[in-house]
Amino acid sequence: MLDLFPFNLNTLLVAPFTDYQFMARALLGCVTLSIGSAPIGVFLMLRRLSLTGDAMAHAILPGAAIAYLLCGLSVIAMTLGGLMAGLLVAMLSSATALKTNSSEDSTLAAFYLGSLALGVILISAKGSNIDLLHVLFGTALALDNVALILLQLTCVVSLVVLAIIYRPLVLGSLDPDYLASFGKSGNWAHLAFMFLVVANLVAGFHALGTLMAVGLMILPACIARFWARRLEPIILLSIGMSALSCWAGLLLSFHFGLPTSPSIVLVLVICYLFSILFSPLNGLFCSVLARPAQPSINKDLCS
Amino acid sequence: MSAMITLEGLSIGYQAQSPLATDINVEVQYSDVLALVGLNGSGKSTLLKTIMGLVKPLSGSVKLDVVRSHDIAYLPQQARIEKGFPIDLKEFVSTGLWTQTGWWRSMRNYDKEVHEAIERVGLSDMTKVHLSELSGGQMQRALFARMLLQPSKLLLLDEPFNGVDEATISVLLEQLKYCQEQGATIVAAIHDLELVKQHFDQCLLFHPSGLLQGNSKSLLDASNDNAIEQAPLEVTTDSRLDLLDHA
């Protein structure tokens, strides 16, 4: 029989993960990360903190760098270092904003830029450019057992904590003043949430690197927002989109020899662009189609 | 018997050098309905926020006979509500159950109450409508429905009728009356003097010459219907009685 399709779908889409263990581990790691961090991205987006995620991703760099220089490529040391640096920047920027009456985005910008600069200097002073790339873009294709366990642990902790703080998190995103009128419990929820953001970014940088981990967090939420109108479907859709993009990105990376984490993020960006154009809710094409036709001008009146 | 709200020697504002109002001595009794009237920037909203505990008093004291986080429903002037949040009207109104359900308890048991509150403000056929699709008036009705769900003893409302149509105003007034009948004490900042005269027995007038508390009709009529526009204010001795009592 004439083979109409020149590629075997199995070879193209599935075999890389069944034939190569490093690909299977990469997929497992990235999908685990997706399940924990995509819901967090949804709340970051709804709280208009999308870029805060990006800033925090940069802020964890010096902690990871110091740990890397002291202990080498130790997953645990780099995780603890990153966590401490991220939480320190988060707390310093919040406290400065509160004490000096400055806006929190300006204090966060100042501290994360300082943190990032310090991180780059630390790495380039002692390490090589390859080390820097390693931290910036991760090693999805070389995830060891400790890294995988860390990703799974972060995912479980994220889901449990999110379930606990879900209601104050929703009300705090929807109407922060109203939540504040019931006392200070909402602040604890926000604090726990910011901890989850940092923890997921730190876990994410083992797989995707500090710069790209935030992509897996924010982009699925932005995409899901174009396709669903209620919170729960948006969260589920963002997890699905995230996992699917990891699979597609890993395949792109495998077949074309592209760097892994940028491939995953690029797949997400392509999905985002598609959503902008074709979303049934507020996509550009749909709004053009839905626009009422201009009333035709009566020629008699014009003449 | 102590009053619901007792303000003693209270100065309000954001900077000690420039207080908005000083030496406020006011008592609000249980089930009273008090309107705060005055020019923009005279301190009406700040007084509400100070009672609510959102702004610290510059000096003096605020005594409440209720627990702030449990018994007060506060409706701010420009609620910082994220209208794009993916939630429908019913879910939004349900957030008023916070005191009853807290972080984890199920909201399902309160389904009837939620529907009743929505029905009271005339939005029964819009329970599934997305928050972003509500008009200004409908949003204000939704906020009232949410307030009705709270088991509050004190309502603090900052310009609740601003920018809403007549029909909505009459629905909301009806609900305030219902709340009062249920025993709630109501303090509302309102700039529409006619509305105050018709529906609020008592008012607290923020005037450059000082704060005046008294019967709304006599206090506002005494100032030729333009009490908050003109200075100096002429008020009858009767209208000053309450103020002097508490001073």
Side-chain angles (χ1 to χ4, degrees):
Chain A
M1 194 179 81
L2 186 69
D3 192 359
L4 290 175
F5 199 66
F7 305 106
N8 182 327
L9 275 184
N10 184 50
T11 316
L12 202 64
L13 305 178
V14 183
F17 299 106
T18 50
D19 294 352
Y20 299 95
Q21 211 196 0
F22 72 90
M23 284 294 281
R25 295 174 81 90
L27 185 64
L28 178 64
C30 291
V31 170
T32 311
L33 185 64
S34 300
I35 295 170
S37 71
I40 291 171
V42 171
F43 282 104
L44 273 179
M45 176 190 68
L46 292 174
R47 290 167 97 91
R48 298 180 185 263
L49 292 174
S50 300
L51 289 174
T52 300
D54 195 37
M56 294 312 298
H58 289 75
I60 61 181
L61 191 64
I66 291 171
Y68 174 65
L69 293 176
L70 291 178
C71 313
L73 259 180
S74 155
V75 170
I76 293 173
M78 285 172 80
T79 303
L80 288 177
L83 260 181
M84 280 194 280
L87 293 175
L88 191 69
V89 167
M91 283 191 294
L92 276 177
S93 57
S94 297
T96 311
L98 205 68
K99 294 284 176 201
T100 61
N101 220 3
S102 322
S103 65
E104 194 154 346
D105 64 328
S106 70
T107 57
L108 182 61
F111 281 110
Y112 102 75
L113 285 169
S115 189
L116 177 66
L118 190 68
V120 174
I121 285 177
L122 279 173
I123 291 177
S124 46
K126 290 268 185 177
S128 65
N129 283 342
I130 295 170
D131 297 333
L132 184 63
L133 283 177
H134 196 97
V135 177
L136 290 180
F137 300 110
T139 48
L141 300 182
L143 287 177
D144 60 14
N145 281 344
V146 181
L148 274 183
I149 290 171
L150 178 82
L151 284 166
Q152 285 161 359
L153 200 69
T154 311
C155 172
V156 171
V157 169
S158 297
L159 293 180
V160 170
V161 174
L162 267 185
I164 293 172
I165 64 171
Y166 187 78
R167 208 177 274 172
L169 204 56
V170 167
L171 189 52
S173 318
L174 170 68
D175 191 352
D177 293 338
Y178 189 61
L179 181 62
S181 76
F182 295 110
K184 298 201 183 302
S185 62
N187 294 351
W188 290 108
H190 182 71
L191 216 63
F193 176 66
M194 288 315 285
F195 172 77
L196 287 188
V197 173
V198 176
N200 272 275
L201 289 173
V202 173
F205 86 69
H206 294 299
L208 300 177
T210 53
L211 292 187
M212 294 291 147
V214 71
L216 203 61
M217 190 178 271
I218 295 293
L219 281 167
C222 300
I223 296 165
R225 195 79 171 85
F226 277 99
W227 300 93
R229 288 171 61 88
R230 290 169 52 80
L231 185 56
E232 291 81 6
I234 288 178
I235 290 175
L236 292 176
L237 198 61
S238 69
I239 293 175
M241 275 311 305
S242 185
L244 213 62
S245 303
C246 289
W247 171 72
L250 282 168
L251 282 176
L252 266 183
S253 165
F254 180 83
H255 290 300
F256 298 102
L258 302 174
T260 315
S261 52
S263 302
I264 294 175
V265 173
L266 259 185
V267 169
L268 283 164
V269 172
I270 290 167
C271 293
Y272 180 70
L273 292 176
F274 180 84
S275 305
I276 292 179
L277 295 175
F278 300 108
S279 147
L281 296 179
N282 39 11
L284 293 176
F285 281 150
C286 287
S287 40
V288 170
L289 289 177
R291 198 175 294 160
Q294 293 282 333
S296 57
I297 300 167
N298 191 325
K299 283 180 184 168
D300 296 337
L301 284 176
C302 291
S303 59
Chain B
M1 192 175 85
S2 64
M4 173 62 99
I5 305 175
T6 311
L7 309 176
E8 282 177 345
L10 184 69
S11 290
I12 55 167
Y14 295 92
Q15 286 176 319
Q17 305 93 312
S18 50
L20 290 166
T22 55
D23 200 28
I24 305 171
N25 294 288
V26 170
E27 277 190 357
V28 183
Q29 303 298 333
Y30 296 92
S31 300
D32 268 3
V33 179
L34 177 74
L36 308 181
V37 183
L39 287 171
N40 284 341
S42 58
K44 305 184 299 282
S45 300
T46 312
L47 179 59
L48 287 175
K49 284 179 191 163
T50 310
I51 296 173
M52 188 60 211
L54 301 173
V55 175
K56 282 186 184 159
L58 295 176
S59 64
S61 69
V62 177
K63 285 178 195 155
L64 298 175
D65 198 28
V66 288
V67 183
R68 273 202 181 104
S69 59
H70 193 273
D71 299 321
I72 302 184
Y74 171 58
L75 190 65
Q77 191 171 356
Q78 285 156 343
R80 274 196 303 154
I81 292 169
E82 179 63 49
K83 280 193 83 177
F85 197 87
I87 195 171
D88 63 29
L89 174 79
K90 189 187 161 197
E91 288 169 319
F92 176 73
V93 172
S94 303
T95 60
L97 291 167
W98 184 272
T99 318
Q100 294 96 310
T101 60
W103 285 32
W104 303 300
R105 282 188 295 278
S106 168
M107 287 185 173
R108 285 202 190 119
N109 305 334
Y110 297 92
D111 216 39
K112 196 172 142 235
E113 283 88 340
V114 174
H115 279 286
E116 253 174 39
I118 294 174
E119 199 179 333
R120 286 198 155 275
V121 296
L123 293 178
S124 290
D125 49 349
M126 301 187 80
T127 49
K128 292 281 168 212
V129 173
H130 195 266
L131 207 61
S132 62
E133 288 163 9
L134 297 181
S135 70
Q138 287 163 342
M139 190 68 210
Q140 198 66 0
R141 287 179 189 226
L143 286 169
F144 262 66
R146 183 171 78 170
M147 196 172 71
L148 292 174
L149 274 180
Q150 283 182 254
S152 2
K153 295 174 184 155
L154 174 61
L155 311 184
L156 301 175
L157 314 169
D158 199 351
E159 297 290 357
F161 309 118
N162 241 9
V164 295
D165 57 281
E166 290 294 323
T168 301
I169 290 177
S170 71
V171 169
L172 300 186
L173 277 169
E174 212 173 282
Q175 295 318 309
L176 282 188
K177 207 174 162 193
Y178 167 76
C179 290
Q180 192 201 6
E181 284 164 8
Q182 302 290 308
T185 307
I186 299 167
V187 180
I190 291 172
H191 73 270
D192 184 337
L193 299 184
E194 274 309 309
L195 211 110
V196 173
K197 279 197 273 186
Q198 281 173 28
H199 301 282
F200 290 77
D201 298 336
Q202 288 196 56
C203 83
L204 184 68
L205 179 60
F206 284 68
H207 191 268
S209 63
L211 251 70
L212 308 169
Q213 186 182 11
N215 178 275
S216 299
K217 275 196 183 127
S218 53
L219 196 60
L220 296 179
D221 283 341
S223 53
N224 302 324
D225 288 344
N226 282 315
I228 59 170
E229 304 290 342
Q230 296 178 355
L233 176 73
E234 288 177 22
V235 284
T236 61
T237 321
D238 284 345
S239 310
R240 284 183 179 273
L241 274 181
D242 275 345
L243 177 75
L244 293 172
D245 277 345
H246 299 302

